[in-house]
Amino acid sequence: MRLSQAFLPVLKESPADAQIVSHKLMLRAGLVRQTAAGIYAWLPLGLRVLNKIEQIVREEQDRAGAIELLMPTLQSADLWRQSGRYDAYGPEMLRIRDRHDREILYGPTNEEMITSLFAADTSSYRQLPRTLYHIQWKFRDEVRPRFGVMRGREFLMKDAYSFDLDEAGARLSYYKQMLAYLRTFQRMGIQAVPMRAANGPIGGDLSHEFIVLAPTGESEVFYDAAYDQFDWSQADLNYADEAGLKGLFERVNTTYAATDETHDEAKWAELPEATRRTGRGIEVGHIFYFGTKYSESMGLKVSGPDGNPVIPHMGSYGVGVSRLVGAIIEASHDDNGIVWPDAVAPWAVGLVTMRGDDAVSQAAASDLYDKLTAAGVETLYDDRDERGGAKLAGMDLMGLPRQVIMGPRGLAAGTVELKDRRTGEKEEISIESALARLTA
Amino acid sequence: MRLSQAFLPVLKESPADAQIVSHKLMLRAGLVRQTAAGIYAWLPLGLRVLNKIEQIVREEQDRAGAIELLMPTLQSADLWRQSGRYDAYGPEMLRIRDRHDREILYGPTNEEMITSLFAADTSSYRQLPRTLYHIQWKFRDEVRPRFGVMRGREFLMKDAYSFDLDEAGARLSYYKQMLAYLRTFQRMGIQAVPMRAANGPIGGDLSHEFIVLAPTGESEVFYDAAYDQFDWSQADLNYADEAGLKGLFERVNTTYAATDETHDEAKWAELPEATRRTGRGIEVGHIFYFGTKYSESMGLKVSGPDGNPVIPHMGSYGVGVSRLVGAIIEASHDDNGIVWPDAVAPWAVGLVTMRGDDAVSQAAASDLYDKLTAAGVETLYDDRDERGGAKLAGMDLMGLPRQVIMGPRGLAAGTVELKDRRTGEKEEISIESALARLTA
């Protein structure tokens, strides 16, 4: 993308109304704009990141055998009356009356709808197990929306729902999603620790939150240093390996991790001091096993292997896709702006000419831009006739992982600067070497 | 995808409540399920088609230089008060009050919001021209939703908005979108004819509808046979070629096409009888040039080249993405089910074993499935132990363009049947030839 043709507005001043660093940076770097309280438009830069995060979530769901579909944003109130949650849900549910005065609502989650859909087209145990998911906008009418997309009202969520014949099957589906979550966050370049959590109003007795470690996080966390070493992508953990999945769950269950809400000082004291880690964190995912609560209320029943009816056991599994954009920034930024992990960067490379009015620089930059683009390297080329310093500051603010900086003096000697956003290290190398490194 | 692991429910009976063929087929083949009046969930099969259509729309918008962003589904009523449309819009607008009794609405379109967003970050003529678009769910509270996704209430739309310094620039942006639309529909394998239309409540005096020809279409259409010959992908029409774009517009303007609403019997009579075509059609896109109506009311102003303020000229451009799924089925089906054009087919190949209980068939099919998948050919393999006839009927109903049919007798001779869904033609060829043909 050539910046002169783009819509990538950056703000010079730090917005006064933003309280946390990710919100400030998302406004300054032009990822989002608020259009109503807790409701945001995603500008091109923010949408690129959102799409990358969404795609990683999708690929890891698919890899775990979950099947994608797409439920609508609006739901009928009757569906929620059937489970008893319509009255129970409280003022966070956005309740709507349509032109015929029918009661509808903007879905905050989809247990009722997916169970009803699955029930309508499922009659036999042979159609189980299944895990279905969708990635769709949800709405929760927060009493005091704040922190930008971290606690917005309209937000993008991946929610998956598993259907199994019995509890043992449902627990296996739960373990699969647990592994998928750990891999999802690891791929995004952030560390997320699973922590035992309360099921709350969704029901059931088995639940984990996934907390991204970030110095500016909302809650205090306590965890075993072993989590710093785990590699969830390891080849010996696959979704067909039941023993491996159970082992994963046991390992998570026996390796200490807790938020301030669930922290157990006695257990904590048992850990060797050298392995105790404390920090702050942000919730980015939550998984639940809740048995037959929704299959019973929504009328999901299949004929079992012996012909007798069976009520399937269910779980649900959420990832805050739009929230992750903020959480990743909280976990990865510095004084100059965002520092995107490679996997979610809006562009892999930022290309800057220090003198936009210099024809030699323009020609060299344009040539490198074409070559990088042809090689499939996503590149943002700031081709505007602006001050070099302002362009560099923009690239740092937007957080592009690698930057190529071209100036008349270097080009006269055939060299460019290659900069690493995270370390700030710069190297003076030939254009050919830069191209080779960036396309490697 | 192996059908035994999928969620692809088909209905044996034609649903009684569906009035038009696309609605019937979308229910029977398991593309959608209605979850409330005019609101649909997209099951895996439907979502795959919806995603393909969306991606073609996106690629052609990007090619035309439009920039993607994403606006939220809910909007503040104040935004619409500023343009005067809040009171004017009528009962099709879904009006909502949140927990603080603030008036919001589910966006039926986005002229107000995009103009307000663009104005906040644009100050100079150097930031023009720009065309911005998003693909997002919209809501129109139809008094009588019907015909499935063809006239649903919650629907997916691509809407683009152009901003130019003056009318001449805005007309050029309009021509670019016109070309992008013609290419978009051509790529989907359907014929869409542009027809001069009334601007209506959106304002302005230049507008075209794009009507897909389908025997079961909602309106009668009259058009010049020349439209059957136009190839919008031709190399001499590019977005940088102003004269070519103007020529395109002239050609469309001087080649007769009208719906029954705009039909002009006198002009029609001037056409040679051999070139008169009549038929039925379905509106799938609508483009508008409306000047400064929204830039004025929403306060969009830039400093011009001479330093004086300029009010940009705008246009807006809509494609009914979810509606297209229905429209394509109306245009392409037969008595056995859907006949997907290749570009939007949920899977390119359907693979069927006539005897699911035959180990030789299973092994051969599984091997071919792996090879096709490895070669990047999207394949649905019906690996269930069901009657061969029912499996074949399912593939036809779901409309997969090419089908490989494996039976014990053929396999004993080393052959399979390769079937073309559109023509129904079958060939008996070797497995190797089938693989070569399908991966060519």
Side-chain angles (χ1 to χ4, degrees), chain A residues 50 53 57 149 155-159 181 185 188 283-286 317-327:
Chain A
L50 187 69
I53 291 172
V57 170
V149 301
F155 59 97
L156 187 60
M157 184 166 132
K158 183 285 298 182
D159 37 325
Y181 275 44
F185 301 126
M188 288 177 193
E283 186 195 336
V284 291
H286 205 150
Y317 314 91
V319 169
V321 176
S322 49
R323 175 170 245 242
L324 269 165
V325 180

Side-chain angles (χ1 to χ4, degrees), chain B residues 154-173:
Chain B
E154 186 171 330
F155 60 97
L156 187 61
M157 183 167 133
K158 184 284 301 180
D159 37 327
Y161 304 88
S162 63
F163 300 93
D164 281 271
L165 263 192
D166 53 27
E167 181 176 345
R171 292 184 76 97
L172 205 62
S173 294

Side-chain angles (χ1 to χ4, degrees), chain A residues 6 73 99 106 130 141 154, chain B residues 6 73 99 106 130 141 154:
Chain A
T73 61
R99 69 190 291 171
Y106 201 119
R130 286 293 184 281
D141 204 354
E154 186 171 333
Chain B
T73 61
R99 66 189 293 172
Y106 201 119
R130 287 293 184 281
D141 205 355
E154 186 171 330

Side-chain angles (χ1 to χ4, degrees), chain B residues 20-304:
Chain B
I20 61 171
V21 66
S22 61
H23 190 192
K24 277 189 218 293
L25 287 172
M26 287 181 74
L27 292 172
R28 276 196 63 207
L31 277 77
V32 293
R33 292 289 179 262
Q34 179 168 287
T35 56
I39 303 180
Y40 291 85
W42 294 77
L43 301 189
L45 186 72
L47 180 59
R48 287 182 75 97
V49 176
L50 187 69
N51 284 342
K52 296 214 169 181
I53 290 172
E54 179 181 328
Q55 187 56 21
I56 291 174
V57 170
R58 173 175 292 120
E59 286 172 12
E60 294 303 326
Q61 288 294 304
D62 292 345
R63 199 192 306 275
I67 301 167
E68 189 172 9
L69 44 67
L70 184 60
M71 289 175 275
T73 61
L74 298 191
Q75 307 187 17
S76 112
D78 286 342
L79 210 51
W80 286 67
R81 288 213 174 85
Q82 216 178 317
S83 72
R85 283 210 289 183
Y86 189 67
D87 295 324
Y89 208 91
E92 282 197 5
M93 177 185 280
L94 187 66
R95 294 158 209 261
I96 307 168
R97 284 179 184 268
D98 72 10
R99 66 189 293 172
H100 298 300
D101 216 31
R102 283 176 297 216
E103 289 171 280
I104 53 179
L105 58 98
Y106 201 119
T109 177
N110 287 64
E111 280 80 9
E112 285 80 359
M113 188 182 280
I114 193 72
T115 310
S116 153
L117 281 169
F118 191 70
D121 281 300
T122 306
S123 56
S124 159
Y125 73 95
R126 286 187 307 255
Q127 294 166 278
L128 298 180
R130 287 293 184 281
T131 295
L132 305 175
Y133 76 98
H134 77 157
I135 302 176
Q136 177 63 293
W137 293 90
K138 312 274 191 299
F139 198 90
R140 287 186 194 157
D141 205 355
E142 298 272 352
V143 64
R144 199 158 83 83
R146 54 193 161 149
F147 305 150
V149 301
M150 298 280 283
R151 192 166 297 181
R153 296 197 294 167
E154 186 171 330
F155 60 97
L156 187 61
M157 183 167 133
K158 184 284 301 180
D159 37 327
Y161 304 88
S162 63
F163 300 93
D164 281 271
L165 263 192
D166 53 27
E167 181 176 345
R171 292 184 76 97
L172 205 62
S173 294
Y174 185 96
Y175 304 158
K176 286 182 185 177
Q177 286 286 321
M178 177 178 271
L179 177 55
Y181 276 44
L182 292 166
R183 287 183 172 168
T184 297
F185 301 126
Q186 182 171 308
R187 266 187 71 185
M188 289 176 194
I190 51 179
Q191 193 180 358
V193 178
M195 310 204 176
R196 192 72 186 229
N199 276 54
I202 208 159
D205 61 0
L206 175 61
S207 172
H208 284 83
E209 289 180 338
F210 292 77
I211 309 280
V212 164
L213 300 176
T216 48
E218 59 203 355
S219 40
E220 203 174 352
V221 295
F222 305 85
Y223 67 98
D224 189 317
Y227 280 110
D228 295 340
Q229 309 302 327
F230 289 154
D231 176 9
W232 312 108
S233 63
Q234 53 191 291
D236 63 334
L237 258 182
N238 75 66
Y239 293 102
D241 172 13
E242 286 194 26
L245 289 167
K246 280 179 190 160
L248 163 79
F249 179 72
E250 282 311 311
R251 186 159 57 164
V252 165
N253 239 9
T254 54
T255 308
Y256 192 84
T259 63
D260 38 12
E261 282 179 22
T262 55
H263 187 48
D264 178 336
E265 281 292 350
K267 279 196 183 165
W268 185 239
E270 290 170 21
L271 276 185
E273 201 160 335
T275 68
R276 292 185 212 158
R277 295 279 181 280
T278 59
R280 303 197 69 81
I282 300 161
E283 185 196 338
V284 291
H286 205 149
I287 63 178
F288 302 91
Y289 160 67
F290 44 69
T292 59
K293 176 173 174 179
Y294 296 96
S295 30
E296 267 181 73
S297 58
M298 303 307 291
L300 169 60
K301 201 180 285 185
V302 301
S303 64

